[in-house]
């Protein structure tokens, strides 16, 4: 259902009534302006989705009921689209919408969904919403395979335009076939998909690691990996043994497993000699082949042996060829998983059944038309290929491929029953004799494979092979599952379940706890606090924030890492047992979350920052973006919400789990209500000695720590860090931390440059103080200014002298903020600083040099009676502006530097130190965690 933007509403009403603007007519002007892929929960959809911003052009004035022939042609070309329920909730609802009239952006959404269904991807969710600009819409739809979803969106737009006005050379049938082929190439193979389906039933997450079949199951320390049916516990030695057919034969024979006699030969003459020693007929195969390639069976004379040798030799990587006695009987594949036989399938070689009317070539085409058959392993059956081997084998049976076989006569086209060459399978699991089961299980153990495909040739699997004759002709690593999960005849065997049980025994964890933290201000500090608390408990914490990616306290990547890709990097790290993610607005809007759910979702606050970016124009919309973290909380998870912020408090109803509120006010009504219901909350209680952080659960109240004893609060003066400490306490409590661990973590966390660079770092320098912070929006500047005010008050016990001199501020903000927000930041700064130096970021984000500074100065000049500032200057370069402020500072002053690159400001502060040994030691510690190109001069 399309939500209309306010602009252009009269034009839409005129169009729907059949009266578009005079002089206009439908033109194929639908175009894609922007495309984004969301790989996790996002602003638009909980499931992975694709969003296209489309421009309708003149079609904005033409709903579907005003475009001649549009609806009929669409339903003829893509009948399934009319069956969509759409907003009506009833099958066929979208057809009614088309007839009554809807806009073509909405149509593109439904076509994109249906095209994916036609390609074999089961998807169903979508929505179309106005952007606020006339004729532009957000078209959002779910996808199965990313490449297929993107291609479906492009084809949908092209089809809409074609239906408006026919495009020369556009063949929808051919385009759809290309999409289907793309889907088949991008999809996981049957074996991998079977394992992933079983993993989904067990709520085990997965990450695709390449465009093939390498997949990570689980997160962090609990992860396992598979590539098709090879697992991370599959021994390389077992794979090597299985790939050497002669060695396999010898090892099996040594343990009493029935196997054919065999010899390895290096030329055709040796093959003939070996065949004569073994006894004709024989089978010849590559020493290290797979998928039945190069296997020649039932070779009964010297000429056949020579020809068979050449075929096998061409498929051998090492050059060796095995000659072995030919065993007669049926070909059975026994699947052994974790030492237990789980399935048996009889394999029948690729063949056709004569009907007395059609040639072999025609019969192959008919057989390949079966929708279950595809290319390679992409479907449950493989198409039969009429190659030289097939032609020669048919000729041996007395037929050319142009001949018409008699009705009921079976013509075999392959010598082996491999599914990969077009064979079929018949399930025989329940018929296997216990002796044969024991032999197959023993063979898997001898070779040393956790998942093994045992090829057993015997007259009847229900009779003991030692009595009827036969034996094991091959042991395969990475056996295919499709002959068992999708047999041509018989019952399907759910062989993926024992694989998952082997990798993740019942009760074993597959996920690590994830704490996701978002908000307008305080995210980085809170995330660092939580990570510090959990590290103190011995957890291996993976942390992402705007400074970089940290694992167990060590930085592994220095960059703004508050997005989904960084989260995925942490979840792929096999040492991490708990993840703490700073989740930024931009990452949610660009790609969504980098995971499916978080055990703890923390929302600190919502203020008017970044408005006007990414289609977000109001604080309410911004709250909806940040609410994604709460929506990703599962039933057994916890949302941690700021009870002092109404926009955050309202998110509680969107959490599937429970809620812990935190508040700076013990009398907050939400906190009281929470306690009355026996639920958890964290708040402050004031006393003679200051403010105490208190944990509440029903009637129980537990004192944690005085705020003035938390170093990061600067004896309680930094109220923003008091609030961050409340949030961190609630988050750590939610993830299972004990009160003693939380208390210790807060007591040892500092806002020094070493622990939280650029987050309220304070330095003593030549009798004055320097505060370095990333404050970049009006609420953050307000909090920073309040902190400066509190610095003028005497500290408890006189531990820190109050600020008695001037307040000098170096202020800036990002250039992509709204003009009004930049001006407001200047007004706020003017209330707290005596002198202000305005600077700009090196990257002004599209705004001309000096433009941001001019707006800040405008705010300062219009601050009115509340203005404290008496002197204003502009130095655009960050480092030069910092130096200018430090140069004019005197004893008792405080210099506040709002930084973009905290590192270079830190270097400047260190340069100005006067050779204090302790500072030099501290400097060395900083150098130890910096990149080589960030080296600092130690000659103070």
């Amino acid at each position: 259902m399309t939500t209309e933007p306010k602009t252009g509403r009269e034009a839409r009403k005129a169009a729907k009534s059949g009266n578009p603007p005079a002089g206009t007519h439908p033109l194929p002007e639908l175009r894609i302006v922007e495309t984004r892929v969301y790989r996790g929960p996002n602003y638009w959809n909980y499931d992975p989705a694709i969003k296209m911003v489309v421009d309708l052009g003149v079609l904005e004035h033409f709903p579907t009921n005003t475009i001649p022939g549009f609806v009929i042609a669409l339903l003829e070309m893509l009948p399934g689209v009319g069956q969509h329920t759409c907003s009506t909730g009833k099958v066929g609802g979208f057809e009614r919408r088309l007839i009554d009239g809807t806009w073509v952006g909405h149509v593109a959404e439904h076509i994109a969904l249906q095209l994916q269904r036609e390609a074999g991807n089961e998807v169903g969710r979508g929505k179309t919403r106005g952007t606020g600009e006339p004729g532009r819409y957000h078209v959002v739809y779910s996808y199965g395979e990313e490449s297929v979803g993107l291609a479906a969106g492009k084809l949908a737009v092209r089809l809409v335009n074609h239906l408006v006005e026919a495009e020369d050379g556009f063949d929808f049938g051919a385009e759809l076939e290309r999409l289907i082929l793309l889907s088949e190439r991008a999809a996981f193979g049957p074996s991998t998909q079977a394992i992933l389906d079983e993993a989904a039933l067990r709520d085990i997450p997965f990450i695709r690691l390449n465009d093939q079949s390498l997949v990570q199951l689980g997160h962090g320390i609990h992860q396992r990996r598979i590539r098709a049916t090879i697992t991370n516990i599959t021994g390389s030695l077992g794979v090597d043994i299985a790939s050497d057919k002669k060695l396999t034969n010898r090892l099996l024979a040594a343990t009493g497993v029935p196997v054919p006699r065999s010899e390895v030969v290096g030329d055709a003459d040796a093959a003939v000699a070996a065949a004569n020693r073994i006894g004709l007929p024989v089978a010849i195969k590559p020493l290290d082949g797979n998928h039945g390639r190069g296997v020649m069976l039932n070779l009964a004379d010297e000429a056949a042996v020579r020809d068979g040798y050449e075929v096998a030799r061409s498929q051998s990587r090492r050059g060796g060829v095995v000659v072995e006695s030919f065993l007669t009987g049926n070909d059975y594949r026994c699947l052994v998983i974790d030492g237990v036989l789980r399935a048996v399938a009889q394999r029948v070689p690729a063949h056709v059944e004569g009907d007395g009317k059609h040639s072999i070539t025609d019969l192959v085409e008919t057989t390949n038309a079966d929708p279950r058959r595809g290319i390679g392993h992409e479907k449950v059956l493989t198409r039969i290929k009429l190659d030289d081997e097939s032609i020669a084998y048919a000729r041996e049976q007395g037929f050319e491929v142009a001949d018409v076989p008699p009705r009921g006569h079976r013509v075999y086209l392959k010598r082996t029953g491999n599914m990969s060459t077009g064979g079929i399978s018949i399930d025989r699991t329940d018929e296997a004799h216990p002796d044969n089961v024991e032999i197959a299980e023993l063979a898997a153990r001898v070779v040393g494979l956790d998942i093994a495909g045992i090829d057993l040739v015997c007259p009847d699997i229900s009779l003991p092979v030692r009595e009827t004759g036969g034996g094991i002709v091959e042991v395969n690593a990475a056996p295919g599952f499709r002959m068992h999960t999708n047999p041509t005849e018989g019952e399907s065997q759910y062989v993926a379940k024992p694989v998952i049980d082997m990798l993740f025994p019942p009760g074993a964890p597959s996920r690590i706890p994830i704490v996701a933290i978002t908000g307008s201000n305080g995210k980085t500090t809170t995330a660092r606090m939580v990570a510090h608390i959990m590290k103190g408990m011995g957890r291996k914490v993976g942390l992402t924030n705007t400074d970089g990616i940290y694992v167990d306290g060590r930085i592994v990547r220095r960059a703004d890492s508050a997005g989904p890709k960084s989260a995925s990097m942490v979840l792929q790290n096999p040492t991490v047992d708990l993840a703490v993610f700073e989740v930024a607005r931009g990452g949610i809007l660009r790609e969504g979350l980098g995971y499916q759910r978080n055990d703890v979702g923390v929302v600190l606050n919502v203020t008017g920052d970044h408005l006007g970016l990414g289609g977000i124009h109001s604080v309410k919309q911004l709250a909806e973006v940040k609410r994604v973290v709460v929506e990703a909380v599962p039933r057994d998870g916890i949302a941690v919400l700021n009870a002092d912020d109404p926009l955050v408090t309202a998110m509680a109803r969107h959490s599937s789990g429970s809620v812990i509120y935190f508040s700076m006010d013990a009398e907050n009504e939400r906190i009281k209500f929470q306690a009355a219901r026996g639920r958890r909350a964290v708040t402050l209680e004031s006393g003679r000695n200051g403010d105490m952080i208190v944990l509440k659960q029903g009637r129980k109240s537990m004192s944690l720590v005085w705020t003035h004893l938390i170093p990061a609060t600067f004896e309680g003066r930094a109220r923003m860090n008091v609030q961050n400490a409340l949030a961190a306490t609630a988050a750590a409590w939610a993830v299972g931390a004990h009160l003693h661990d939380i208390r210790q973590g807060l007591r040892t966390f500092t806002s020094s440059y070493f622990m939280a660079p650029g987050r309220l770092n304070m330095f003593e320098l030549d009798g004055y103080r320097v505060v370095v912070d990333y404050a970049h929006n009006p609420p953050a500047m307000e909090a920073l200014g309040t902190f400066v005010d509190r610095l003028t008050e005497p500290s408890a016990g006189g531990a820190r002298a109050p600020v008695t001199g001037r307040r000098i501020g170096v202020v800036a903000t990002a250039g992509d903020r709204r003009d009004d927000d930049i001006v407001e930041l200047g007004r706020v700064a003017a209330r707290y600083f005596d002198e202000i130096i305005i600077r700009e970021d090196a990257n002004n984000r599209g705004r001309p040099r000096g433009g941001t500074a001019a707006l800040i100065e405008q705010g300062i000049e219009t601050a009115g009676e509340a203005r404290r500032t008496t002197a204003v200057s502009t130095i655009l370069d960050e480092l030069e502006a910092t130096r200018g402020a430090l140069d004019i500072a005197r004893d008792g002053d405080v210099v506040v530097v709002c930084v973009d690159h905290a590192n270079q400001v830190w270097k400047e502060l260190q340069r100005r130190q006067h050779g204090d040994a302790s500072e030099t030691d501290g400097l060395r510690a900083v150098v130890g965690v910096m990149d080589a190109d960030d080296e600092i001069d130690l000659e103070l």
Side-chain angles (χ1 to χ4, degrees), residues 68 201 237 269 332 450 475 544 581 627 663 667 683 794 850-851:
L201 293 175
L237 182 59
D269 291 338
Y332 297 99
D450 57 337
V475 176
T544 66
F581 297 146
R627 193 178 72 200
S663 171
E667 298 302 313
T683 188

Side-chain angles (χ1 to χ4, degrees), residues 813-817 819 822 838-856 874 876:
T813 189
D816 59 357
R817 302 309 194 259
D819 289 1
I822 298 175
I838 305 171
R839 67 162 190 84
E840 287 187 345
D841 293 347
N843 178 5
N844 220 21
R845 304 191 186 187
R847 201 178 282 271
R849 196 69 172 155
T852 304
L855 290 171
I856 293 175
T874 298
L876 296 182

Side-chain angles (χ1 to χ4, degrees), residues 642-644 662-672 682-686 696 719 726:
N642 184 355
D644 299 328
F662 65 92
S663 171
M664 299 281 283
D665 179 10
E667 298 302 313
N668 184 289
E669 291 301 321
R670 178 61 61 177
I671 298 295
K672 291 181 178 179
V682 179
T683 188
L684 289 183
E685 290 187 355
S686 298
K696 293 179 175 290
R719 303 302 286 175
L726 291 174

Side-chain angles (χ1 to χ4, degrees), residues 271-272 275-276 280-282 284 298-308:
V272 171
N276 288 329
L280 296 170
V282 296
I284 294 183
N298 198 17
L299 306 179
D301 55 46
E302 180 178 329
V305 170
R306 290 183 180 277
D307 291 342

